[in-house]
Amino acid sequence: MSILKSLMHRIMSVEAVRRQSLISLVWSIAFTGIGFLSTVYFTRILDAGVLGGYYLFLAYFGVVSIICDSGFTGAVQKRISEGETPNEFFTAFFVMRSGFVAVVLLVLLLLQGYFVDLSKTGVFRWLILGLIFSMFQVSIHAPLGGRGKMGVYTTAQFVNNISKIFIQVIAVFLGYGVAGLVGGFIAGMIISALIELKYFDLKFVRFNKNHIQSLSSFSFWSFLSSASKQVFTYADTMIIGYYLLNADVGIYNIILQFVGIISFASSSIRLALWPRISYWGKHGNIFSIENSISKAFTFSLILAIPIVSGAIILGDHLLYFIYGEVYNHYVVLIVLLFAELINIFNNMFIMYLNALDYVQKSFKITILGTSANIIVNLLLVPFIGIEGAAVSTLITMSLSTLLSLKVLSSIININFEKDSIINILKASSFMSVLVIIYRLIVPIVSIWHLAIPVIFGGFLYVFSLFLLDENISHEFKKIIQR
């Protein structure tokens, strides 16, 4: 026990943003590994059309959930993070969001006949059930984020994802197909909510109209921005599902999920920074805000750039040997890799705008990007299939990123740690050259031949980066030592 207490003391001694980013990153790495293995299992056991049905459910769930939320999740996180009357804001949030969920559920039940795709696959009732349980899960999860309890926040997310996968694997093994995948998704939410409830320290208290007005003033723009982002995220899936087959939906989303690996470090950093940026912005600490964004990009790109480089070189073999021949769409992979790399910058810029209370500007950027995404998808998907959806994502993500950069740079100074980024590029180039040489010399005819350059290239990259960049090396050593 003394060893465990000593370890916890050392972990807690690490500065808050570093500690919480590290916790989030560790869980992200663990989930990415487990999620990767489960996805491989699903692609080997289930037909691409079955997976396509599940991804269509996720798309509908995401869009309907944002309507239920109406921006109140972002609003309550913002107001609670500011440190003023958190109990009152939590109670107002719960009451208002409950009302919106009740109305949306009633409308869905009345319009059930129009959801033909969901009814055919038998997941419409799961959609209703998922929305009900998500109401309680979000009511606990969002305020915890506002309180800055990012260790619990991200750990609960990890438990959500892992329990979801565990239940899905068992359900698929037992032959439940789409119902098993959706049922596991809902079960994960319930389990994580129960864990977070133990650390929840807010109470129901009386609130007044000022709290409602404060949440509503933020939630209006937050809702519009979040809704636009959700539509942007799922527009390609829905349009593919409309014009093409469910199997195409499954193939596209499996590749999209694969490229998401490059941004999990960035996601961890954003989660840890959000309440800090909000607090610094409220108290006018511009120096800390500007300093944080330069470091955030450096550590976001440490993993993203080498993964993109490696996937460009080995991508065709990765898709073939990992998921199977039906998923081997190399062009889609490459286009989505660059789209996801650009998305790292876009998500960071948007997060800073929202945390600094510029949700109106964030919404305008997002709605332009979403509108463009829908239009380009409608123009390309019917003619060139899922490749068109990938190109649409790249084009519109680039547009959104340029706009968000322009707006945020008018508010704060955005500086990049150029020396560190150059060193990351150098280390990635060195790794890439050696991996290309390996591929030219050794024919890759099995998964084992593929594993060697992946593992060896990773070690080469880390070793060369630490030699090239003393700042990055020192940062990691300091965290590990403490």
Side-chain angles (χ1 to χ4, degrees), residues 7-43:
L7 177 60
M8 288 303 298
H9 175 73
R10 287 177 177 271
I11 291 174
M12 295 305 294
S13 69
V14 179
E15 188 270 327
V17 174
R18 288 189 179 92
R19 181 181 70 247
Q20 292 166 358
S21 297
L22 182 62
I23 292 172
S24 179
L25 181 60
V26 168
W27 289 138
S28 295
I29 292 172
F31 169 65
T32 299
I34 296 171
F36 170 74
L37 293 175
S38 66
T39 301
V40 172
Y41 173 73
F42 295 146
T43 58

Side-chain angles (χ1 to χ4, degrees), residues 130-415:
L131 292 172
I132 294 172
F133 282 111
S134 72
M135 165 61 208
F136 297 100
Q137 190 259 345
V138 171
S139 296
I140 300 170
H141 188 66
L144 273 179
R147 297 285 278 177
K149 296 185 177 183
M150 303 312 296
V152 178
Y153 185 92
T154 54
T155 299
Q157 279 190 322
F158 173 76
V159 172
N160 181 353
N161 292 324
I162 293 303
S163 56
K164 172 189 71 176
I165 291 171
F166 180 74
I167 295 170
Q168 285 177 332
V169 168
I170 294 176
V172 168
F173 178 77
L174 295 175
Y176 285 102
V178 174
L181 293 174
V182 176
F185 175 82
I186 295 172
M189 290 192 298
I190 298 172
I191 294 170
S192 67
L194 294 175
I195 291 173
E196 288 182 314
L197 190 60
K198 181 180 179 181
Y199 300 93
F200 194 76
D201 59 355
L202 296 173
K203 298 178 293 184
F204 288 106
V205 298
R206 186 182 298 274
F207 60 91
N208 56 47
K209 65 178 183 180
N210 292 330
H211 296 100
I212 296 177
Q213 289 172 352
S214 181
L215 288 174
S216 299
S217 64
F218 187 96
S219 67
F220 176 74
W221 294 106
S222 178
F223 163 67
L224 293 177
S225 180
S226 299
S228 298
K229 185 172 179 58
Q230 286 290 78
V231 173
F232 188 106
T233 301
Y234 294 116
D236 45 8
T237 295
M238 291 180 168
I239 292 173
I240 291 172
Y242 181 81
Y243 285 105
L244 307 176
L245 303 174
N246 276 8
D248 295 304
V249 175
I251 292 168
Y252 180 80
N253 278 274
I254 288 295
I255 299 174
L256 190 64
Q257 182 177 327
F258 178 75
V259 303
I261 293 173
I262 74 173
S263 61
F264 67 78
S266 174
S267 300
S268 302
I269 293 168
R270 291 200 316 273
L271 280 173
L273 279 176
W274 160 266
R276 308 289 170 181
I277 302 303
S278 176
Y279 182 83
W280 291 333
K282 182 72 173 179
H283 294 84
N285 191 349
I286 302 300
F287 173 79
S288 295
I289 295 172
E290 293 177 348
N291 184 58
S292 68
I293 195 169
S294 61
K295 290 187 176 297
F297 281 120
T298 299
F299 284 91
S300 295
L301 296 175
I302 282 178
L303 292 176
I305 291 178
I307 292 175
V308 171
S309 301
I312 291 173
I313 300 169
L314 300 170
D316 52 342
H317 290 301
L318 286 168
L319 293 176
Y320 179 82
F321 286 113
I322 293 174
Y323 298 117
E325 185 176 0
V326 68
Y327 297 96
N328 192 11
H329 289 254
Y330 181 72
V331 173
V332 175
L333 172 66
I334 298 304
V335 175
L336 288 179
L337 277 170
F338 283 103
E340 190 67 22
L341 184 61
I342 294 170
N343 192 32
I344 289 175
F345 293 88
N346 183 61
N347 283 336
M348 195 70 73
F349 294 145
I350 295 295
M351 185 276 286
Y352 270 79
L353 286 172
N354 288 334
L356 293 173
D357 219 352
Y358 288 95
V359 285
Q360 299 96 326
K361 296 181 183 295
S362 172
F363 162 70
K364 292 176 182 178
I365 295 167
T366 308
I367 193 64
L368 285 173
T370 300
S371 302
N373 189 34
I374 293 172
I375 293 171
V376 178
N377 264 302
L378 289 172
L379 292 174
L380 296 181
V381 169
F383 301 102
I384 56 177
I386 60 176
E387 286 79 6
V391 172
S392 173
T393 300
L394 176 61
I395 292 172
T396 53
M397 190 61 69
S398 301
L399 171 65
S400 181
T401 302
L402 290 173
L403 291 173
S404 59
L405 170 61
K406 181 179 179 180
V407 173
L408 186 60
S409 61
S410 68
I411 300 168
I412 62 172
N413 292 320
I414 301 176
N415 297 309

